[in-house]
Amino acid sequence: MSLEVAGQRGNTAGAITYVDLYRRWEENNWSAMEIDFTADRAGWDSLTEMQRRSALWMYSMFFYGEDSVADNLSPYIDAAPTEEQAYFLTTQQADEARHAIFFNRFFQEVLESGDGTIASALDTTLPQLGWGYRHVFDRLDRMADELRSDRSLPKFAQAITLYHLIVEGTLAQPGQHFIEDHFTKGGELPGFSAGMVHVSRDEQRHIGYGVKTLSEIVPQSEECKAAIVELFRELNRYSLAVFCPPGFDRAYSDCWGFSLEDIYSFGLRLIRQRWKTIGFPIEEMPADVWPFDHDLPVEEIAARNVKLLLAGVGGEPHPSPDSSPEIQEILFDIVARGADQSAVDGGPFTVEWRFTDAGPWHVTVDRGGSSQGEGPARSPDLVIKTSWAEWVLIAMNDANPLASVARRKLIPKGSPRALNTFRKVFAGRPQP
């Protein structure tokens, strides 16, 4: 079978063939064993304590991630619909192993971690892996298992979305971008910087493969689109929490001269651009998958996400999430945008939340749109009495509202019809 791809699409992804991607792999091959770390030890010692702490956090995520993706790629090769796609994936598996070797050398020779084995160095990364990161990579493990038994096109599209578009394209690439930028300017870790240039080039090629593959199979398949949407619904709250720093400490990014908002803005731009190229732009995805005004600049969306994370509302469940009006407004904007307007029957449907530990809020849903606002509603169809922390668990962390009702931690007041409408309108869990 020829490595050239027939039937190219008239977009950026279609202009690149699989043979182009393979050729770039041969032309850009490099050796992880030839990277010179001689000067990096002194460079590491010259960093501030906060920079070393932050670098260890970020590099641990990269090292663990490279090892994980190398281990999980084999079923992708077996499930690839064409030989062209499978051949490229074999080159990618070699890349991922080489990246893991590169990070292992850095950890062993510069950070002096481990006893010389890869397994021992990997063990040192585990305390650095946060809640969101662990959930994303646990899902990657499960996805590989699913792909071994289900090689259908929708499952393959879902798997490529997770591996190439989320893990590599949304999580790894923004981190690489800011790491490269700092050390290229500062020069403290010349060996590490040289290796990261190669890693970044490889990842760009992998992401290009993912965008191309999805652009060929997704636009024509509603089943593939549905599988991708299902994955986003499952993973958004975890993937958005990956860059939440330990202890919610902004110093983990600020010490390098960039902010958490910079990382999220960079990633959001990539998401918008790539899904448009694939032929499934985010504007066409369900509101509960992207519950933000599409006219908002990415900087504003990033700022809102960071606020939710640092407030303990987004990301890992927090026992005492911030309940300030600003945070309430952001969350209820998400709730309102994620509501199913088609489920409203016979006029506007208004829900009022009366919190025991925060001010009241309300949401009105109609077939013409949804709105939300601070304070009690004039004539609510349903009143929900609960705590702010309990509602955050339900809205953002998929806690079972029926269990909350059974424990008397959530008390709905309204007619049976209103309760039934509520279940239909808010069937999809709102996500940031």
Side-chain angles (χ1 to χ4, degrees):
M1 185 182 293
S2 168
L3 278 175
E4 294 290 352
V5 177
Q8 300 296 341
R9 293 172 53 81
N11 57 26
T12 304
I16 301 172
T17 68
Y18 292 110
V19 74
D20 291 332
L21 293 170
Y22 178 84
R23 182 183 295 113
R24 292 177 191 181
W25 177 74
E26 286 197 345
E27 291 172 351
N28 294 317
N29 254 315
W30 59 284
S31 171
M33 301 306 294
E34 291 182 0
I35 297 294
D36 183 5
F37 288 120
T38 303
D40 287 47
R41 180 67 231 185
W44 178 260
D45 291 339
S46 73
L47 300 176
T48 67
E49 181 182 352
M50 187 67 242
Q51 286 177 324
R52 288 194 296 271
R53 193 184 312 162
S54 173
L56 180 60
W57 171 59
M58 288 190 289
Y59 300 168
S60 292
M61 289 193 286
F62 275 106
F63 184 14
Y64 184 93
E66 297 292 358
D67 177 78
S68 178
V69 294
D71 289 345
N72 281 309
L73 195 56
S74 293
Y76 287 70
I77 298 170
D78 295 334
T82 70
E83 293 299 315
E84 290 88 349
Q85 293 166 350
Y87 289 170
F88 178 83
L89 287 170
T90 63
T91 70
Q92 183 173 342
Q93 191 166 37
D95 287 339
E96 308 295 10
R98 177 164 44 211
H99 299 170
I101 292 293
F102 163 70
F103 277 101
N104 177 60
R105 285 195 58 215
F106 179 78
F107 269 69
Q108 303 270 6
E109 298 174 29
V110 179
L111 306 188
E112 299 179 345
S113 300
D115 60 10
T117 64
I118 295 177
S120 67
L122 281 169
D123 283 345
T124 68
T125 69
L126 298 180
Q128 302 294 330
L129 309 181
W131 176 85
Y133 185 95
R134 288 176 182 273
H135 277 284
V136 169
F137 279 87
D138 284 348
R139 186 64 185 94
L140 188 67
D141 289 340
R142 297 197 307 276
M143 184 67 77
D145 291 337
E146 292 170 10
L147 205 54
R148 290 185 178 96
S149 58
D150 179 3
R151 298 181 183 179
S152 67
L153 207 56
K155 179 55 67 175
F156 186 69
Q158 198 178 56
I160 292 292
T161 297
L162 174 55
Y163 193 128
H164 294 77
L165 271 295
I166 295 177
V167 170
E168 292 193 313
T170 306
L171 303 182
Q173 193 175 30
Q176 289 168 350
H177 170 75
F178 289 103
I179 288 172
E180 284 184 63
D181 183 65
H182 175 86
F183 285 114
T184 298
K185 294 175 182 176
E188 297 95 337
L189 303 176
F192 184 81
S193 297
M196 285 301 292
V197 169
H198 293 300
V199 170
S200 180
R201 186 184 295 121
D202 290 345
E203 300 291 3
Q204 191 70 23
R205 188 170 59 249
H206 304 164
I207 296 164
Y209 167 88
V211 171
K212 175 174 180 58
T213 298
L214 291 175
S215 73
E216 293 175 349
I217 64 177
V218 170
Q220 296 80 20
S221 172
E222 292 303 316
E223 285 185 295
C224 287
K225 290 181 179 180
I228 289 167
V229 167
E230 178 188 352
L231 180 70
F232 280 141
R233 284 197 177 112
E234 179 186 358
L235 265 189
N236 275 355
R237 58 179 169 148
Y238 302 126
S239 60
L240 285 167
V242 166
F243 285 114
C244 189
F248 304 96
D249 187 350
R250 281 182 171 274
Y252 276 79
S253 61
D254 293 348
C255 67
W256 304 109
F258 60 85
S259 67
L260 294 172
E261 288 83 357
D262 291 332
I263 296 177
Y264 281 87
S265 297
F266 186 83
L268 288 170
R269 288 191 190 93
L270 297 177
I271 291 170
R272 279 183 162 170
Q273 168 195 322
R274 285 168 181 158
W275 284 103
K276 182 178 181 180
T277 300
I278 287 166
F280 189 20
I282 57 175
E283 291 83 359
E284 296 180 8
M285 295 183 184
D288 62 317
V289 170
W290 186 270
F292 288 107
D293 184 347
H294 292 291
D295 293 329
L296 283 177
V298 294
E299 292 81 6
E300 176 61 24
I301 297 174
R304 294 185 181 196
N305 275 314
V306 170
K307 285 178 181 177
L308 289 180
L309 283 173
L310 298 185
V313 173
E316 184 173 8
H318 193 283
S320 302
D322 183 354
S323 62
S324 65
E326 179 186 27
I327 299 301
Q328 285 186 296
E329 183 177 10
I330 296 173
L331 176 57
F332 277 105
D333 184 61
I334 292 171
V335 171
R337 290 182 182 278
D340 183 358
Q341 298 169 12
S342 67
V344 177
D345 185 20
F349 178 71
T350 299
V351 182
E352 178 185 321
W353 282 261
R354 295 178 186 171
F355 297 111
T356 58
D357 52 355
W361 216 272
H362 65 273
V363 171
T364 298
V365 183
D366 199 356
R367 287 184 178 271
S370 303
S371 63
Q372 54 92 19
E374 185 177 6
R378 180 173 298 176
S379 300
D381 297 283
L382 183 69
V383 173
I384 295 177
K385 293 184 177 181
T386 187
S387 69
W388 173 249
E390 190 73 13
W391 175 245
V392 168
L393 285 174
I394 293 169
M396 303 298 283
N397 292 288
D398 216 17
N400 187 341
L402 294 179
S404 297
V405 171
R407 298 195 311 271
R408 302 291 293 172
K409 291 195 171 186
L410 185 148
I411 303 173
K413 287 193 174 183
S415 68
R417 181 178 179 180
L419 286 168
N420 188 50
T421 301
F422 178 84
R423 284 193 290 268
K424 291 178 181 178
V425 170
F426 297 103
R429 179 175 56 81
Q431 301 187 34

